[in-house]
């Protein structure tokens, strides 16, 4: 008998029909002999609708405490209805809010971090042969205030509950089959990865592969929670996210991600003085501009050039800030370029394999595209390049790193993977 946490997102429970289908899925899992805790998000667009309602009442920023009070109602609707749907199918079920589930958070409304979970009520219900339905995205402070975990926070609830009750597996049900080697809408031969390491998933999640919230992946890594991402609409095997993977043996690159609408700003002819770089980036950080890759050229005749990439939408704001410190810095010229993309290859196997970056540059240059900027981490290489032919680049990289070919599918169910 396994103890499992099953998490369903808002689209999986978007209406009554879907809710019933999810209930059926849960009951099947229970009748296979598992003990089941379910974490669920607000139905469909409920959270967005609630935010819109607050905007009709308040101009500007609504009070954070009341906002959390409002938004947590979305999940509360889901848990009650889902619990009823399960009971309709003849199983025992009980719904618990975040605070009833013993989910304690820090006192930061709107983006509270989970600080502790005391799941005794959940455990008692499980012992009573009940399916337990827990509201995602919410918790309570030590002082008894209701909090939310930030948008997309139900994934984190699921992982945190799984860690607290020592679940054998945390299943994240979503509208895709799993994690793919790249966007299947771009590359036809993109394939579902049988498994992926936490670190790789973290890089991909931060790069915008939207299947899992990055904070949930961090939490899973830290607490060694076995995760699987799978579809709520079919029974296909999903993608397992775990500590070490067989992917590391032989496969160097696991996935390719890309970000559109990237821009580059260059500040040219900056007189070399201590603290110049700090002055520029402090000014940008003060207005919360999210700068990504930063490059500083060597100093020639006492002058250096800085370049950095950022989302294209932020260019104007950034240029204004930089103009504002022109005199202080004393640079010659500032230029900007839009229409770029960031392509990234991610793979735990690259740590021990030479030539991975060289191949990436080679593939891109063979397409007649020059690489503007590069950044790397242990398991990721990102290139900022001209964005006019993104699909060709991604396809070429996918082929070059051997991702088009089928890998041997993993045989066996979740129990074999622990
Ligand atoms: N309902 C919340 C949101 O839409 C939490 C979640 O979906 O995970 O952000
Ligand atoms: Mg939602």
């Amino acid at each position: 008998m396994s103890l499992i946490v099953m998490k369903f997102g808002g689209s999986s429970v978007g209406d009554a029909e879907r809710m019933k289908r999810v209930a059926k899925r849960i009951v099947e899992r229970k009748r296979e002999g598992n003990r089941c805790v379910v974490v669920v998000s607000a139905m469909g667009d409920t959270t967005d609708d609630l935010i819109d309602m607050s905007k009709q009442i308040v101009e500007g920023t609504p009070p954070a405490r009341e906002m959390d009070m409002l938004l947590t109602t979305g999940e509360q609707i889901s848990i009650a209805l889902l619990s009823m749907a399960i009971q309709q199918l003849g199983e025992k079920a009980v719904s618990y809010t975040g605070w009833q589930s013993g989910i304690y958070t820090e006192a930061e409304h709107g983006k509270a971090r989970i600080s502790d979970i005391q799941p005794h009520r959940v455990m008692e219900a499980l012992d009573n042969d009940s399916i337990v339905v827990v509201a995602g995205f919410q918790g309570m402070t030590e002082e008894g205030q209701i909090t939310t975990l930030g948008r997309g926070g139900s994934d984190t609830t699921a992982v945190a509950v799984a860690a607290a009750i020592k679940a054998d597996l945390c299943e994240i049900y979503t509208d895709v089959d799993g994690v793919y080697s790249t966007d299947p809408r771009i590359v036809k031969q993109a394939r579902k990865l049988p498994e992926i390491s936490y670190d790789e998933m973290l890089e991909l999640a931060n790069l915008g592969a939207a299947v899992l919230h990055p904070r949930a992946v961090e939490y899973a890594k830290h607490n060694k929670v076995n995760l699987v991402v799978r579809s709520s609409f079919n029974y296909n095997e999903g993608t397992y996210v775990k500590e070490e993977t067989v992917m590391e043996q032989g496969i160097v690159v696991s996935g390719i991600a890309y970000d559109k609408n990237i821009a580059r700003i260059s500040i040219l002819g900056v007189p070399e003085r201590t603290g110049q770089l700090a002055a520029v980036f402090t000014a940008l950080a003060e207005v919360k501009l999210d700068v990504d890759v930063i490059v500083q050229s060597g100093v020639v005749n006492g002058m250096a050039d800085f370049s950095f990439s950022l989302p294209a939408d932020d260019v104007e704001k950034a240029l204004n800030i930089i103009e504002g410190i022109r005199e202080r810095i004393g640079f010659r010229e500032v230029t900007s370029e839009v229409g770029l993309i960031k392509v990234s290859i991610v793979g735990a196997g690259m740590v021990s394999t030479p030539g991975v970056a060289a191949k990436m540059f080679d593939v891109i240059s063979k397409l007649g595209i020059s690489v503007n900027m590069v950044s790397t981490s242990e398991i990721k290489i990102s290139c900022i390049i001209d964005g006019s032919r993104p699909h060709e680049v991604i396809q070429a990289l996918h082929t070059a790193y051997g991702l088009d070919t089928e890998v041997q599918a993993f045989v066996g169910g979740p129990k074999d993977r622990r």
Side-chain angles (χ1 to χ4, degrees):
M1 188 157 65
S2 291
L3 175 56
I4 58 177
V5 172
M6 308 172 75
K7 184 261 172 180
F8 294 89
S11 63
S12 300
V13 292
D15 56 35
E17 274 322 302
R18 288 183 175 206
M19 190 75 90
K20 287 184 197 169
R21 195 168 57 199
V22 164
K24 196 166 149 270
R25 191 86 190 245
I26 296 163
V27 167
E28 281 167 13
R29 222 63 182 99
K30 171 80 166 59
R31 290 182 182 163
E32 284 165 17
N34 300 298
R35 303 204 291 163
C36 303
V37 175
V38 180
V39 173
V40 69
S41 301
M43 294 170 71
D45 296 329
T46 305
T47 309
D48 291 323
D49 295 344
L50 291 168
I51 291 171
D52 287 345
M53 281 167 77
S54 76
K55 287 186 180 148
Q56 291 169 32
I57 304 283
V58 179
E59 262 178 59
T61 316
R65 179 190 181 278
E66 304 310 329
M67 205 58 200
D68 278 354
M69 191 61 85
L70 177 66
L71 295 189
T72 47
T73 62
E75 271 68 15
Q76 215 164 312
I77 295 171
S78 297
I79 55 171
L81 292 174
L82 186 55
S83 189
M84 290 179 202
I86 295 169
Q87 290 176 21
Q88 286 291 303
L89 298 174
E91 289 294 330
K92 284 200 229 173
V94 58
S95 62
Y96 288 139
T97 60
W99 45 102
Q100 286 178 315
S101 310
I103 301 175
Y104 288 89
T105 74
E106 284 161 10
E108 195 157 8
H109 285 293
K111 49 173 191 271
R113 281 181 174 266
I114 295 175
S115 49
D116 186 27
I117 299 190
Q118 291 172 16
H120 52 86
R121 217 180 253 120
V122 171
M123 296 314 289
E124 273 161 32
L126 285 171
D127 289 344
N128 189 26
D129 201 35
S130 196
I131 293 168
V132 185
V133 185
V134 172
F137 173 61
Q138 56 177 254
M140 184 179 76
T141 66
E142 293 288 346
E143 289 73 41
Q145 299 295 334
I146 291 171
T147 51
T148 60
L149 310 182
R151 296 306 306 267
S154 297
D155 285 352
T156 309
T157 305
V159 172
V161 168
I165 65 173
K166 302 196 170 52
D168 298 299
L169 183 64
C170 179
E171 302 181 322
I172 307 282
Y173 288 83
T174 175
D175 40 20
V176 294
D177 277 5
V179 182
Y180 277 76
S181 55
T182 195
D183 189 339
R185 288 167 303 185
I186 296 178
V187 176
K188 267 209 310 289
Q189 307 94 314
R191 54 183 172 71
K192 191 179 68 198
L193 304 172
E195 48 182 69
I196 186 170
S197 69
Y198 294 123
D199 288 327
E200 291 171 309
M201 189 64 237
L202 209 48
E203 292 284 9
L204 289 173
N206 282 322
L207 289 167
V211 287
L212 262 182
H213 198 279
R215 202 197 281 181
V217 184
E218 263 171 46
Y219 206 105
K221 175 179 149 93
H222 196 244
N223 295 282
K224 297 195 174 38
V225 176
N226 279 332
L227 276 181
V228 62
V229 179
R230 61 187 308 182
S231 170
S232 61
F233 301 105
N234 63 45
Y235 288 84
N236 297 344
E237 282 268 306
T239 300
Y240 284 79
V241 188
K242 51 203 262 186
E243 195 155 36
E244 284 153 28
T245 77
V246 291
M247 302 294 292
E248 288 172 41
Q249 299 152 19
I251 294 185
V252 176
V253 172
S254 303
I256 300 172
Y258 86 111
D259 264 352
K260 289 182 288 197
N261 297 326
I262 304 291
R264 172 169 67 164
I265 290 184
S266 300
I267 308 175
L268 307 173
V270 184
E272 145 80 348
R273 254 195 324 265
T274 322
Q276 294 279 62
L277 205 54
V280 172
F281 291 102
T282 304
L284 294 170
E286 270 166 7
V287 292
K288 301 244 175 330
L289 278 173
D290 202 4
V291 167
D292 189 18
V293 184
I294 301 174
V295 176
Q296 182 186 352
S297 72
V299 180
V300 179
N301 298 331
M303 299 286 185
D305 298 337
F306 304 160
S307 294
F308 60 91
S309 68
L310 74 172
D313 291 344
D314 292 340
V315 167
E316 225 167 293
K317 194 169 171 191
L319 288 176
N320 282 332
I321 297 293
I322 292 165
E323 280 306 333
I325 52 172
R326 181 186 273 272
E327 265 169 43
R328 219 168 97 213
I329 306 287
F331 58 84
R332 186 182 74 238
E333 192 188 350
V334 55
T335 62
S336 65
E337 191 183 351
V338 292
L340 305 175
I341 56 169
K342 179 165 84 168
V343 209
S344 306
I345 58 174
V346 173
M350 67 174 71
V351 178
S352 52
T353 315
V356 182
K359 185 187 240 172
M360 184 176 194
F361 305 148
D362 188 49
V363 168
I364 296 173
S365 75
K366 284 214 170 93
L367 293 169
I369 296 172
S370 51
V371 174
N372 292 344
M373 300 169 105
V374 181
S375 78
T376 63
S377 77
E378 267 209 320
I379 62 161
K380 181 193 72 177
I381 304 168
S382 300
C383 292
I384 310 269
I385 61 172
D386 174 74
S388 54
R389 290 151 61 207
H391 295 195
E392 263 179 82
V393 176
I394 294 160
Q395 175 68 71
L397 290 169
H398 201 265
T399 306
Y401 288 105
L403 294 172
D404 289 348
T405 46
E406 276 302 309
V407 283
Q408 202 197 332
F410 219 92
V411 200
K415 291 193 190 82
D416 303 314
R417 290 167 196 272
R418 257 178 280 134

